[in-house]
Amino acid sequence: MQPTDLIWMNGDFVAWENAKVLVLTHGLHYGTGVFEGVRCYDTELGPAVFRNADHVERLLRSAELYYMPVPYSAEQIRAATLELVARNGLRSCYIRPIVFRGYGQMGLNPLDCNVDVTIACWEWATYLGEEGKANGIRAKVSSWRRIGPDSLIPQAKASGQYLNSVLAKVESMKAGYQEAILLDDHGYVCEGTGENVYLVREGEIVTPGQSNSILDGITRRSVIQIARDLGYTVSERNVGRAELYLADEVFLSGTAAELVPVVEIDDHPIGGYREWLDVVVPRDLETPAGDVSERRITGATG
Ligand code: PMP
């Protein structure tokens, strides 16, 4: 992590190394924080924060869902974000606002603890790597289910909820994959550990909907809008695990990861199935009495 000069902390700009909390901070013990990931891009107009207002709105909504009154307005948080990026002299960066229950009380009732707000930013390359972004990543369907609406709030971006993503991420990495895809209790596809997921099949783009325990991704909203503007059909519906394997393309979207193709899921090459059918077994050439390799392949396709 590349430190910058300043972090915004409860209304002040403080030196990076002084932006500290006490070890008895409530959020550290019980996960009582809500946060955002935002990106600033170097554009022709200068540094520009992508959908800043939408991120701040989601932050405030997440805070409300966890009973955290935020002592700053959306406008103050937006302005502080812009000033922080400018004061740190960054042209492009990742921005991390967090609202959390601070020091004051121990125990599960957080209501008497301060609500602290900080914003940090730093230069952070794309989360799944330039190589992954250009050439795709290998993903594994996690053995961990995505948190459900009966126990937590999938629509909130809350610190404690990310233990679910951490388990899935570590499992996938230890098994040699770069990312995990989580299913819900019914076996429907939800999302990656920090990204929304899409499949493309026969020209249609399909993605799990709001009732599939996903985070309402801000990049997702842009993807859907741009795809529709370009004339693609985008369906938000339940997606079965094997639909991913059978897709022509799968990709992920998120602020940290940006847009990343998925080239393999659970060792199934995505799109490879079609290529294999078209190239290895031409449809107009069915040869049950052909040579051994062709017979094997033809047999395998049933
Ligand atoms: N799902 C989860 C669980 C996430 O953490 C993120 C990253 N915030 C996303 C989806 C993508 O959301 P966004 O495009 O707003 O970054």
Side-chain angles (χ1 to χ4, degrees), residues 55 58 157 162 191 193-196 215 217-219 253-255:
H55 282 286
R58 189 171 65 186
K157 197 166 165 60
Y162 276 82
E191 58 187 351
T193 61
E195 309 88 17
N196 291 112
L215 183 74
I218 286 160
T219 324
S253 81
T255 300

Side-chain angles (χ1 to χ4, degrees), residues 39-139:
R39 269 194 192 274
C40 174
Y41 289 96
D42 193 6
T43 74
E44 287 167 4
L45 303 172
V49 178
F50 183 67
R51 302 191 71 156
N52 194 17
D54 292 318
H55 282 286
V56 174
E57 195 183 310
R58 189 171 65 186
L59 180 73
L60 297 181
R61 272 192 276 124
S62 298
E64 200 281 327
L65 290 167
Y66 278 100
Y67 310 99
M68 280 186 251
V70 182
Y72 301 96
S73 68
E75 201 39 57
Q76 284 172 312
I77 296 172
R78 281 170 70 182
T81 300
L82 299 180
E83 192 177 340
L84 180 72
V85 172
R87 285 214 198 186
N88 279 322
L90 296 171
R91 298 199 65 81
S92 67
C93 60
Y94 180 83
I95 303 161
R96 169 58 59 83
I98 182 165
V99 175
F100 57 99
R101 286 288 183 179
Y103 167 59
Q105 288 284 322
M106 262 309 149
L108 285 164
N109 174 9
L111 301 179
D112 293 331
C113 295
N114 285 344
V115 175
D116 289 327
V117 185
T118 73
I119 310 170
C121 63
W122 64 94
E123 285 180 311
W124 200 15
T126 188
Y127 176 56
L128 295 169
E130 284 300 336
E131 159 68 20
K133 203 173 140 185
N135 298 321
I137 57 144
R138 297 174 61 245

